Amino acid sequence: MTAPVLVCGSMAFDAIALFEGHFGDHILPERIRTLSVSFLVPTLRREFGGCAGNVAYNLKLLGGTPLPVASVGEDATGYLQRLKELGISTAHVKVVPGTLTAQCWITTDLDDNQITAFHPGAMGMSAQNDFGAHTGAVWGVVSPDAKEGMFVHAERMNKLGIPFIFDLGQAMPLFEGADIERMIRLAQVLTANDYEASVIEQRTGRQIADIAKTMQAVIVTRGGEGATLMADGQTIEVPPVQAAAVVDPTGCGDAHRAGLVYGLTQGWNWLDSCRLANVMGSIKIAARGAQNHQPTRGEIDGLLRASYGIGLPA
């Protein structure tokens, strides 16, 4: 068994809708102050999601040992059963009586732009979920969750000496510049997509390259253009992996984090870990939903070898 990874964040049900048009054709910039738009979505699916659930799912595909840390509602019985069937521990998933599991409504247009609404539900109690001091974890991930919960989990890992990846993601509206700076001081790694990186720069008043100087690594994902790795005083462009199809971006960032942290648990360097992360993102985007792709470990290994000339550990 590989070393455990604490995966802190949301577990949610995703309602994913496809708008067969372009948001930009219906949102008038000059009327943005009185915005009132409606999108017909003939395709709608309900999926298992949430950042902790998604990262744990992808980490398990790689042969990792995820320990999701999340708070769910009384309606999560099916989700918990699914995790158990996948061989993923639910020991640190707390069921909060009288609440619903977090719910996310995601509408995607034909340009892969997304409009998301989120109801936190039980996630609002995440700060009360103490994963304890004896998990055996060698790495952690602090992904979008209730703001207080994100800080509590980060402080606990920092106190226990467990290095962790900070993923701001959909929690971005909750974090002011001072909040981001506080989290950066606790974390070893910062991950963000290119838009989130711009927001981080704007809110902190610092360039991402300057932030990278105070951390072990910063990784900025750029969709089909790959990723930018900043570590050890170097900036490296990590080329993308050609996806078999571009179907649904939901959960791609979480798949990327799983590949990154799996590489780190194997003692890989930053570049090879980022390469594996790119592979996982490319696999995910070819499937609808955040947890419906089912590559074998051998298939992941084959794509990693074909793309970068490296392979998964035996």
Side-chain angles (χ1 to χ4, degrees):
M1 185 177 71
T2 60
V5 175
L6 286 167
V7 184
C8 304
S10 62
M11 284 180 57
F13 293 112
D14 292 340
I16 302 174
L18 175 64
F19 171 54
E20 296 178 344
H22 307 272
F23 294 146
D25 294 337
H26 299 268
I27 299 175
L28 304 176
E30 66 274 14
R31 300 300 300 274
I32 198 72
R33 294 183 62 184
T34 56
L35 182 66
S36 179
V37 293
S38 178
F39 301 106
L40 177 66
V41 289
T43 302
L44 177 66
R45 310 184 319 278
R46 193 167 189 254
E47 306 279 5
F48 297 108
C51 295
N54 296 344
V55 174
Y57 176 81
N58 284 278
L59 192 52
K60 190 65 179 181
L61 289 175
L62 285 161
T65 306
L67 297 177
V69 180
S71 296
V72 298
E74 294 178 331
D75 58 339
T77 302
Y79 203 151
L80 296 176
Q81 183 60 36
R82 168 183 164 79
L83 293 176
K84 292 174 182 177
E85 290 173 354
L86 291 169
I88 297 174
S89 171
T90 60
H92 304 295
V93 179
K94 180 178 181 180
V95 178
V96 182
T99 67
L100 293 173
T101 301
Q103 313 277 322
C104 188
W105 293 269
I106 304 168
T107 304
T108 303
D109 74 358
L110 295 180
D111 292 323
D112 287 331
N113 296 311
Q114 291 186 327
I115 296 175
T116 301
F118 190 76
H119 168 66
M123 193 186 80
M125 308 293 183
S126 62
Q128 301 174 22
N129 190 357
D130 187 350
F131 50 73
H134 304 290
T135 62
V138 296
W139 270 93
V141 179
V142 174
S143 59
D145 202 342
K147 180 179 175 180
E148 182 184 2
M150 292 177 73
F151 276 118
V152 166
H153 296 325
E155 293 279 4
R156 286 172 180 157
M157 279 194 270
N158 181 267
K159 183 177 180 180
L160 293 169
I162 301 171
F164 70 90
I165 297 167
F166 168 44
D167 174 22
L168 178 59
Q170 297 96 326
M172 185 170 57
L174 306 176
F175 279 69
E176 300 297 331
D179 299 318
I180 297 171
E181 291 282 12
R182 177 184 168 192
M183 191 65 84
I184 286 171
R185 288 193 294 270
L186 294 169
Q188 283 66 44
V189 184
L190 170 67
T191 59
N193 63 31
D194 47 3
Y195 177 76
E196 293 159 0
S198 297
V199 172
I200 290 170
E201 290 182 331
Q202 187 271 327
R203 292 186 185 172
T204 62
R206 292 204 286 159
Q207 295 296 304
I208 287 293
D210 292 330
I211 292 174
K213 294 175 183 177
T214 67
M215 308 186 76
Q216 289 186 23
V218 171
I219 296 97
V220 179
T221 58
R222 305 188 184 280
E225 297 178 6
T228 301
L229 164 67
M230 286 166 270
D232 301 322
Q234 296 181 302
T235 298
I236 301 171
E237 299 300 328
V238 188
V241 176
Q242 183 67 41
V246 178
V247 175
D248 183 1
T250 307
C252 284
D254 299 324
H256 194 276
R257 312 299 175 249
L260 177 67
V261 76
Y262 179 79
L264 296 175
T265 64
Q266 302 305 303
W268 288 11
N269 60 37
W270 294 108
L271 178 56
D272 286 345
S273 296
C274 284
R275 287 167 168 166
L276 177 57
N278 282 359
V279 166
M280 295 304 292
S282 74
I283 291 172
K284 172 25 309 274
I285 203 169
R288 295 196 183 280
Q291 298 181 28
N292 291 327
H293 52 298
Q294 299 178 355
T296 65
R297 195 168 183 274
E299 289 170 340
I300 298 171
D301 179 74
L303 184 55
L304 182 62
R305 291 180 186 276
S307 302
Y308 299 115
I310 59 175
L312 294 177

